[in-house]
Amino acid sequence: MNALAVTPSTITALVVAVSFAAGLNVYATILSLGVMARMHWVVLPSGLESLGDTWIVVASGILFAGEFVADKIPGFDVIWNALHTFVRIPLAALMAYAATSHLSIGMQLVVTCLGAVIAAISHGTKTAARVAVTPSPEPVSNIALSTAEDGLVVGLMWFATHHPLTAAGAVVAMLAAGVGVAWWGARKIRAGWRRRFGRPGEVVLASNR
């Protein structure tokens, strides 16, 4: 059984990895941590040990199964991800808050805010990538992207509970790449908008004719 060292740096690193994963798929994140705790593969920090409770494992498993299907349907996945803005980020912040219950109030609030920001970035990156990929006429791109995200979340949770500092370093690199993907996705959206509706000035001129 692997027990995490309860130090501010280790817990912060774990929060970074968990928050990033939650921004991609919060149900898979909770399920992975819960199963590992339930199987006694890891000892989660005080505050997160309840993720191993039977009802949480079952509930997260059912929700993950639903997301596994919904997230692979072109078009619907964009709506699904948009709605989960109100699920992934708050739950990431809640897990960050729970994981840092042994730290000072000030440090706990800082790490909680950090977790929410990281979840927001990874969630925003995922949503932008989906908006960019969805117009593709074949569904393979959506399915491959979603499957890769699910695998990344599960793998990252195992790595974070065994090598949290290394996992956090990998997340920082992925966040930097994610910002680039989000910028690329925003350009794709803007280009598509212009192709369909023209520039705002062009629309106004056309309506005045």
Side-chain angles (χ1 to χ4, degrees):
M1 183 184 296
N2 180 62
L4 289 172
V6 183
T7 64
S9 60
T10 300
I11 296 301
T12 300
L14 177 65
V15 167
V16 168
V18 168
S19 300
F20 181 84
L24 296 177
N25 190 325
V26 69
Y27 306 132
T29 301
I30 294 174
L31 178 62
S32 298
L33 292 174
V35 168
M36 286 190 288
R38 187 79 179 174
M39 299 297 292
H40 304 292
W41 294 341
V42 297
V43 177
L44 296 177
S46 174
L48 292 182
E49 71 278 357
S50 61
L51 296 182
D53 291 349
T54 301
W55 74 270
I56 293 181
V57 172
V58 172
S60 60
I62 293 172
L63 291 169
F64 171 61
E67 174 147 337
F68 184 85
V69 175
D71 202 38
K72 293 172 177 60
I73 302 174
F76 184 74
D77 63 335
V78 176
I79 299 173
W80 179 271
N81 282 296
L83 293 175
H84 273 73
T85 302
F86 307 101
V87 178
R88 293 169 183 158
I89 299 173
L91 284 181
L94 181 61
M95 285 190 287
Y97 184 82
T100 55
S101 59
H102 64 286
L103 300 180
S104 65
I105 295 297
M107 188 65 180
Q108 188 178 24
L109 291 176
V110 169
V111 176
T112 299
C113 291
L114 176 65
V117 169
I118 291 173
I121 294 174
S122 63
H123 169 71
T125 300
K126 173 177 180 173
T127 303
R130 290 310 177 81
V131 171
V133 169
T134 293
S136 175
E138 38 73 33
V140 177
S141 300
N142 292 71
I143 295 173
L145 187 58
S146 178
T147 303
E149 290 166 354
D150 295 340
L152 174 62
V153 168
V154 175
L156 184 60
M157 287 304 89
W158 181 90
F159 208 69
T161 53
H162 290 76
H163 308 284
L165 295 177
T166 304
V171 166
V172 170
M174 286 187 285
L175 285 173
V179 171
V181 171
W183 176 79
W184 172 75
R187 290 197 62 185
K188 291 278 288 185
I189 295 170
R190 190 162 54 246
W193 181 270
R194 287 175 178 173
R195 282 195 301 270
R196 176 169 296 185
F197 301 105
R199 295 176 181 272
E202 294 172 351
V203 174
V204 173
L205 288 174
S207 64
N208 289 333
R209 290 179 183 177

